[in-house]
Structures are given as C-alpha cells and as structure tokens.
Amino acid sequence: MSNKALITGIGGQDGLFLSRILIEKGYEVHGITKSSDLGTLAHLEEDVRDKIELRVVNIAEKAPIDTLISEGQFDQVYHLAAQSSVARSINHPRETIESNVLGLTNIATSIRDKSPQTKLLFTGSSEMFGDLVDGQQSELTAPNPQSPYGLTKAFGFQLVNAYRKHYGLWAATAILFNHESEYRGEQFVTKKIIQSVVRIANGGDETLSLGNIHAQRDWGYAGDYMEGITQMMERESPDDYVFATGQLHSVKEFVEIAFNKVGIKLEWTGEGLAEEGRDTETQRTLVNIEKRFYRPGDIAGTCGDASKAREQLGWVPKTALDEFISKMIDHERANQSSKS
Ligand code: GDD
C-alpha cells in the first residue's frame, strides 16, 4: 500500500517540486489550492499532474479542513500554504495572519482531533529570526521577527513545538532559507531580476528598478530543499531542521551575475537612491533604485547553518547559485520567446 500525502499550497513553486518527488517515490498525492487556477502546477509533466488528487479548500476555514483531514486519514501532511511575500505582509497583515496563522492552526488542530497518527510538516522560514546577529542561524537561534510574515512563521514554529510536546504528535518545522527556481513567483526579487534581464537582453529598453540592493540573502535551489523536507518526514521521530546553503550574497551581486550571463557587464555609480548600474559598453542605465521597493524592517542579512540536516539526514544543497540562475534564465528565455 502506498503512503498517502497531502500537500497544502500545492500550486506554488515548492508544491511543484514536492509533488514531483513524492509521486516518483510512489506516494498517493493529494493537494489543496486556494483557487481552481493550476498555478505553478501547469508546468508539471502531465503524467505526474494526472496522478494528483486536487481540491480547492480555504485553509482559513475550520470545517472543510476538519472534513478533509478526518476523511483523508493521511500518512503525511506537508503544510506549504501561506501568504509567502514578506513585502505583501507589511501592507496586508490581516490577510497574512488569516492564511498563515489560522491556516496552520486549523490543520494542526484537525490532525490532533481527527487523525493524530498523521505526520505534520510545517514549512517555517528564516524570516522568523530577523537580522543576522553574528555567525549563522540554526535551529537553536531565538526567533526575533521583524515583519508580519516573520511573526506568523515564529508563531507556527512555536505552535508546532507545543503540539509535539503536549499532544505527542509527529509534528516538525522545516526552517527554510530563501529558495528559488525557474518556477519562482514574480513578486520575489530573484524572479523580478531574471525577467527584466532577459527582456533587456532581448532588446527591451526598460530599466530594472529595485529597492535595497545591499540586502544579503542565503539563496538555495527550491528542488534541493523539497528533497530535504521529504527526508525529514521519513524519520521516525519528529525534529526541526534548517535548510540553507550557508552562503551569503547581496541582491546587487545577484543582479551582476544575471546580467553577466546574458553578456552584459555592469558598472555602478552613486549611492543610496542615486545608485545606478550602467552597461559598461553602451553606458545605458539598466538598474536604478526606487524608494517604493524598500521595506520597513527589511532584514539586512540571513545566513543559515544546516549542519544538523547534513549530519542527521545526509542532506546537502546540490545546486549552486550560479547554476540555478542559469536555469532561471533559460526558463525565462523560453517563456518570453513563446509569448512573442
Ligand atoms: N521582492 C523584492 N522586490 N525584493 C527586493 C526588491 C524588489 O524590487 N529590491 C530589493 N529587494 C530585497 C528585499 O528588500 C529583500 O531584502 C530581498 O530583496 C529579498 O526579497 P524577496 O525576494 O521578496 O524575499 P524575502 O527574503 O523577503 O522572503 C523570501 O524568503 C523567505 C525565507 O525563505 C520569501 O520566499 C519568504 O516566503 C521566505 O520565507
């Protein structure tokens, strides 16, 4: 008999990788989305997608979640569903709380009351740590969130811990640092950069406008992180793990690498809002800074220590930054040429 897994938020970047991995491992995969739009799953191979049992459910409503969990009696629940944009959470805190706080509370409580043998994996975030104080952030770093989104992820981490401790559930948090891919949503900086770089390389006369390009992130490849969380789920006892590369890069470096890959070299002038990136050959301004893309409470830097995942799960990030930037560019080139 195959294992039965439920993926909430299956329609996002992570849902695509996770469903592919679980179907390959022989799992019976059920997924819930917030609308009938296939989202990222439209990119999934048809034979894989056909094997997924999809349903539209609002995770912020308790009754349909109760029914789903009670009827499903899943072996595993991967709770991915969330309002995942930090920037959006600043202007839409209520929507973020409904999705992230109520959503997780409904899922965890339904499992506790209707299907306590189900394993629950919550996808937490490095955003719950706030700014890097010194060194790297691990499972032992105290939460110190700086955004409504980060607060909801700190809440989730604590709730999962409490349910594990007090009700004996198999419940655990994967603390995911930034993870990108060709399927990333365009509200995130890496995808925004890649889309613009490819349009410019194709002759577009736009300027890429960004906010804080000096922010640093620990960027990994989403496919690797989803492999990691399935390994975590296969363990007999629940425990929390950080998934990260331990490598820090600034948004500015990401921009330079992406432009380099399409044969454009940038030179920088100015500071703050006057900082600009120019094409060294044509002297045209390709990157500028706009105040509206800055966020209050932006995290200056995050850097994760994934040594526990490496030692206990044998997990290592396989795809280097340079490699996945190339994947993102190739995918975007194909996407833009199919539209022209
Ligand atoms: N989105 C965006 N747009 N970010 C910009 C821009 C811009 O125009 N300009 C500069 N940035 C900076 C942000 O200020 C931030 O410091 C950094 O780029 C990364 O922003 P995002 O790509 O939006 O990601 P994030 O770090 O806030 O959050 C992501 O990673 C978390 C940790 O894994 C999201 O995926 C979260 O859901 C995730 O939990």
Side-chain angles (χ1 to χ4, degrees), residues 37-302:
D37 178 0
L38 270 185
T40 310
L41 289 185
H43 295 284
L44 201 55
E45 301 74 23
E46 222 175 296
D47 58 325
V48 179
R49 200 171 61 222
D50 287 349
K51 292 197 178 114
I52 303 171
E53 190 70 42
L54 277 176
R55 237 169 301 189
V56 177
V57 179
N58 180 358
I59 54 159
E61 284 176 22
K62 183 74 165 62
I65 293 293
D66 269 349
T67 309
L68 177 73
I69 297 291
S70 153
E71 288 177 7
Q73 297 294 311
F74 303 101
D75 298 296
Q76 306 179 345
V77 172
Y78 290 89
H79 183 50
L80 268 47
Q83 190 301 96
S84 62
S85 161
V86 176
R88 186 171 173 84
S89 80
I90 295 166
N91 294 324
H92 299 86
R94 192 186 161 88
E95 174 200 316
T96 307
I97 288 165
E98 259 179 27
S99 171
N100 302 9
V101 171
L102 284 186
L104 172 67
T105 307
N106 287 340
I107 297 274
T109 310
S110 291
I111 289 176
R112 182 194 69 185
D113 298 340
K114 314 276 180 198
S115 185
Q117 81 292 349
T118 298
K119 289 178 165 185
L120 169 65
L121 186 142
F122 166 61
T123 48
S125 165
S126 53
E127 188 71 19
M128 80 168 177
F129 295 132
D131 264 323
L132 191 60
V133 177
D134 52 4
Q136 295 179 323
Q137 293 150 323
S138 77
E139 298 80 5
L140 301 174
T141 304
N144 185 24
Q146 292 172 198
S147 63
Y149 171 85
L151 279 159
T152 66
K153 290 293 178 176
F155 166 88
F157 177 66
Q158 312 269 15
L159 180 106
V160 164
N161 261 287
Y163 272 42
R164 174 162 82 215
K165 192 165 158 198
H166 302 308
Y167 306 118
L169 296 184
W170 195 110
T173 300
I175 306 165
L176 302 172
F177 281 61
N178 295 53
H179 48 290
E180 317 297 311
S181 78
E182 56 275 39
Y183 308 112
R184 193 57 153 141
E186 56 191 47
Q187 65 274 39
F188 301 101
V189 78
T190 58
K191 184 70 168 188
K192 178 177 170 180
I193 294 166
I194 298 293
Q195 284 183 324
S196 187
V197 165
V198 172
R199 282 193 298 261
I200 290 170
N202 285 340
D205 62 359
E206 71 186 63
T207 306
L208 165 62
S209 298
L210 294 167
N212 179 13
I213 58 170
H214 297 282
Q216 294 180 307
R217 288 292 182 273
D218 177 336
W219 279 297
Y221 186 61
D224 295 343
Y225 290 38
M226 292 304 106
E227 282 283 355
I229 73 170
T230 62
Q231 288 165 245
M232 183 178 153
M233 191 63 121
E234 280 160 10
R235 284 179 70 89
E236 209 156 299
S237 325
D239 205 350
D240 307 320
Y241 292 91
V242 158
F243 293 93
T245 69
Q247 308 281 318
L248 209 54
H249 296 276
S250 66
V251 174
K252 187 171 170 176
E253 280 173 67
F254 193 103
V255 169
E256 283 172 352
I257 299 171
F259 271 110
N260 266 332
K261 283 192 182 288
V262 298
I264 298 173
K265 200 167 167 1
L266 291 180
E267 65 187 20
W268 299 90
T269 56
E271 273 179 33
L273 290 174
E275 192 163 4
E276 280 187 354
R278 291 204 198 120
D279 184 330
T280 46
E281 270 185 32
T282 64
Q283 289 300 306
R284 198 183 115 204
T285 299
L286 300 182
V287 187
N288 67 7
I289 308 298
E290 280 191 33
K291 203 165 180 230
R292 67 190 166 111
F293 296 119
Y294 276 83
R295 350 179 148 144
D298 191 26
I299 290 180
T302 53

Side-chain angles (χ1 to χ4, degrees), residues 299-326:
I299 290 180
T302 53
C303 190
D305 171 4
S307 48
K308 183 174 166 188
R310 188 176 60 243
E311 282 154 24
Q312 297 187 8
L313 308 174
W315 180 84
V316 281
K318 292 186 227 145
T319 319
L321 179 81
D322 194 70
E323 198 180 331
F324 69 75
I325 293 182
S326 292

